[in-house]
Amino acid sequence: MLIPRVIPCLLLQNAGLVKTVKFKDPKYLGDPINIVKIFNDKEVDELVFLDITATVEGKHPPFELLEQVASEAFMPVGYGGGIRSLEDVKTILGLGIEKVVINSYAVENPSFISNVANFAGSQSTVVSIDVKKGIFGAYEVRTHRGTKTTGMDPVELAVRMENEGAGELILCSIDRDGTMKGYDIDLISRVAAAVNIPVVACGGSRTVHDLGAVIKQGGASAAGAGSMFVFQGPHRAVLISYPHYDELEQLLEIS
């Protein structure tokens, strides 16, 4: 039986692993290489690393760290943060990272996605879309770690990115990030219904039932999560975990 992917989405800050709440107050979790080794043992489907300071601070991707991650990880790895040129893409893929994840620069320069897809293929071209709900309930795309407004509707951007050649979307609710209050199913379902490429839902998961809900009710192709896999208990003690395959198979049961 094939089951949808369940992907730890991990945040980098100054070569350390952190976790945020609503894109703020990053909490240090540990060394990313050690955490990759733990996820190796737990046989996770895939890993995504997002550097949350690279774009905001105008830095290049952390190539040396990415080389270490790629050499250590047993599973496919995607990376996003600070990617603004085809040279960045070539270097990252050359290190052994399977997918590049582009966020702010996709909004600034949509045709860049076409260039990346033409070079690397759509299967390696992922666009990450961060979304915040306004006080009147309208969704808006944000960039630069959620600090810049765009006035763009996430569905329109998702369709545009698919047309530019993106092979996958990572859709993150800023309002749910790190809250462990469940995914924004309404947001996910709107975008998933509008495109024909996989949508990875992020932001808000607490239990395996949340993973099942976002796939079955929201139409997501895969479920991404951060806090659920790195915190345990009411005091959010750092402890890396990942659901057992049998548990996921029962919940996601899609053949």
Side-chain angles (χ1 to χ4, degrees), residues 167-189:
E168 187 166 88
L169 302 174
I170 296 177
L171 183 63
C172 184
S173 165
I174 296 173
D175 303 296
R176 301 294 180 97
D177 170 59
T179 64
M180 304 181 81
K181 293 182 178 178
Y183 293 96
D184 186 336
I185 300 292
D186 179 45
L187 168 65
I188 302 299
S189 62

Side-chain angles (χ1 to χ4, degrees), residues 88-199:
D88 290 337
V89 173
K90 292 176 184 177
T91 301
I92 292 167
L93 297 179
L95 294 174
I97 301 293
E98 281 80 2
K99 297 179 181 179
V100 290
V101 183
I102 301 155
N103 182 301
S104 298
Y105 201 50
V107 174
E108 296 174 22
N109 184 8
S111 63
F112 179 62
I113 300 305
S114 297
N115 295 335
V116 174
N118 288 335
F119 168 74
S122 290
Q123 77 284 347
S124 293
T125 307
V126 181
V127 172
S128 171
I129 301 175
D130 298 330
V131 181
K132 186 170 180 56
K133 182 181 280 189
I135 57 175
F136 297 112
Y139 291 112
E140 182 190 21
V141 176
R142 296 283 189 98
T143 63
H144 294 74
R145 198 177 163 187
T147 60
K148 286 195 174 183
T149 60
T150 67
M152 299 181 70
D153 177 82
V155 172
E156 293 179 4
L157 179 61
V159 171
R160 173 74 186 274
M161 293 297 101
E162 179 180 26
N163 292 336
E164 292 287 351
E168 187 166 88
L169 302 174
I170 296 177
L171 183 63
C172 184
S173 165
I174 296 173
D175 303 296
R176 301 294 180 97
D177 170 59
T179 64
M180 304 181 81
K181 293 182 178 178
Y183 293 96
D184 186 336
I185 300 292
D186 179 45
L187 168 65
I188 302 299
S189 62
R190 290 189 192 195
V191 173
V195 297
N196 295 305
I197 56 177
V199 174

Side-chain angles (χ1 to χ4, degrees), residues 12 16-17 21 32-33 42-43 65-66 72 78 84 88 98 111 114 127 145 150 152 154 171 204-205 229 247:
L12 295 170
L17 204 65
V21 176
I33 301 303
K42 297 185 179 301
E43 300 181 339
L65 174 61
L66 293 178
E72 194 63 47
R84 301 181 69 84
D88 290 337
E98 281 80 2
S111 63
S114 297
V127 172
R145 198 177 163 187
T150 67
M152 299 181 70
L171 183 63
S205 63
F229 298 142
E247 189 177 17

